[in-house]
Amino acid sequence: MSKVYTTEELIKILANERQACLTGKRLKLEVTVSGNPVIDQFIRTDGLQKFTAYQDFQAAIHTYQRENQVSGIVWRQITVKGKTLHYPEVDPELISLSSDLEIIKARKNSILEFWHEVTVGMDLYLSFNNNKQHQKIYQYDVKRIAQTTEWASLWKWENSNFLEMILQLGWGNPEAARYKRGRPQSGSEQIHAVNPGNHPIG
């Protein structure tokens, strides 16, 4: 029986392939920009060829995940204001299996509790327009959004004089929710917490 690659190994394989594509070692040569040979001869296609080569490889890895039931989950650790949380997240380069969705759904409440603890007294903003704009909201808005979503994830931006906590509340598949291309079956809302007087940057 052949060896089945682990989640961590697939992440490394994808990172190496992405680097090979970015440096031009992998190209999908048959890619054209417009489909019109007269126009395409005047347009540089190397960037598109690199991107498409990586997308094809990534799709093959996703098929491998499904066929071999290799999880897309990685375990993260976040520490804020002296409090630490370990939580599962689907790696951005991989897909989630149905068993992965059950795991992240089961951890939603612990992520929400941690977020509420570390954001006490902070201003809250809901992002919209692909995170280009933010609208101030309140804790009751967060609770309302949380009730209509299935899973949660966290990020933080922090330096010596700034802290921003981002809570992603989502539904459906995380990989489809990430770039809002899966709506309405998959999607997410991002809530930003910043110290009073600051504005979100993430």
Side-chain angles (χ1 to χ4, degrees):
M1 191 170 123
S2 62
K3 172 190 184 301
V4 174
Y5 291 103
T6 66
T7 303
E8 292 73 23
E9 288 170 330
L10 291 183
I11 291 168
K12 285 179 188 168
I13 290 167
L14 280 165
N16 291 337
E17 185 66 17
R18 186 171 53 250
Q19 191 60 36
C21 290
L22 286 172
T23 57
K25 292 178 184 163
R26 308 265 196 290
L27 296 174
K28 186 166 183 176
L29 297 176
E30 67 271 16
V31 171
T32 58
V33 176
S34 71
N36 183 322
V38 176
I39 295 172
D40 285 343
Q41 67 180 331
F42 298 108
I43 300 173
R44 289 188 53 147
T45 59
D46 56 337
L48 188 58
Q49 290 169 339
K50 293 173 187 177
F51 177 73
T52 306
Y54 179 70
Q55 275 195 319
D56 287 353
F57 186 83
Q58 186 182 42
I61 292 291
H62 293 170
T63 299
Y64 180 89
Q65 273 187 267
R66 286 186 203 96
E67 290 173 352
N68 294 280
Q69 290 296 290
V70 181
S71 172
I73 284 186
V74 289
W75 285 85
R76 306 283 190 209
Q77 176 177 305
I78 189 168
T79 301
V80 181
K81 299 178 180 177
K83 298 179 188 302
T84 300
L85 176 73
H86 298 273
Y87 65 98
E89 179 179 278
V90 176
D91 185 85
E93 300 300 318
L94 298 176
I95 59 166
S96 56
L97 305 176
S98 55
S99 55
D100 294 340
L101 290 174
E102 294 310 311
I103 292 169
I104 62 173
K105 287 176 184 179
R107 294 301 298 257
K108 175 185 165 187
N109 287 339
S110 62
I111 292 171
L112 278 168
E113 286 170 21
F114 177 84
W115 192 81
H116 285 301
E117 284 177 19
V118 300
T119 59
V120 170
M122 298 176 82
D123 288 344
L124 307 178
Y125 291 87
L126 178 67
S127 66
F128 60 99
N129 193 14
N130 291 322
N131 291 338
K132 293 181 185 130
Q133 294 177 280
H134 301 87
Q135 177 182 340
K136 191 162 188 180
I137 61 170
Y138 300 92
Q139 284 293 351
Y140 60 81
D141 297 310
V142 178
K143 288 179 182 169
R144 181 180 48 77
I145 294 167
Q147 288 172 352
T148 63
T149 56
E150 299 174 326
W151 48 265
S153 193
L154 292 170
W155 295 276
K156 78 171 176 177
W157 304 95
E158 185 176 30
N159 61 35
S160 57
N161 56 11
F162 182 80
L163 172 64
E164 179 175 355
M165 290 292 302
I166 302 171
L167 172 68
Q168 181 186 26
L169 292 169
W171 63 94
N173 291 325
E175 60 272 17
R178 194 165 288 119
Y179 301 107
K180 301 197 183 284
R181 62 178 181 253
R183 288 183 183 252
Q185 291 83 11
S186 300
S188 67
E189 301 292 351
Q190 289 190 5
I191 299 157
H192 304 248
V194 292
N195 289 321
N198 289 331
H199 291 282
I201 60 170

